Amino acid sequence: MFGTQEIIIIALVILLLFGGKKIPELMKGLGKGVKSFKDGMNDVEETFGNEKKEDAKKAE
């Protein structure tokens, strides 16, 4: 997909655009976003899991 040279060029462009001080802030925000997304997915799975259990109890 991407070679080593392409990744290095992309990293340098990002460094030039955002600067060295902004990159950790961007990564922190990205990490929080991913964590929030995973938490939301777990909530959805729990909700549907509970509904399936309730439906199984009603069927009995």
Side-chain angles (χ1 to χ4, degrees), residues 39-56:
D39 290 343
M41 290 299 295
N42 288 336
D43 290 343
V44 169
E45 288 177 359
E46 287 176 9
T47 300
F48 285 117
N50 290 339
E51 288 178 6
K52 287 180 183 179
K53 289 178 186 177
E54 290 174 5
D55 289 342

Side-chain angles (χ1 to χ4, degrees), residues 9-29:
I9 291 171
I10 292 169
L12 288 174
V13 169
I14 291 172
L15 184 62
L16 288 173
L17 289 175
F18 296 109
K21 294 182 180 179
K22 288 285 184 181
I23 292 175
E25 294 174 19
L26 292 170
M27 293 300 111
K28 184 178 179 181

Side-chain angles (χ1 to χ4, degrees), residues 1-4 6-7:
M1 191 167 161
F2 288 112
T4 305
E6 288 88 2
I7 293 173

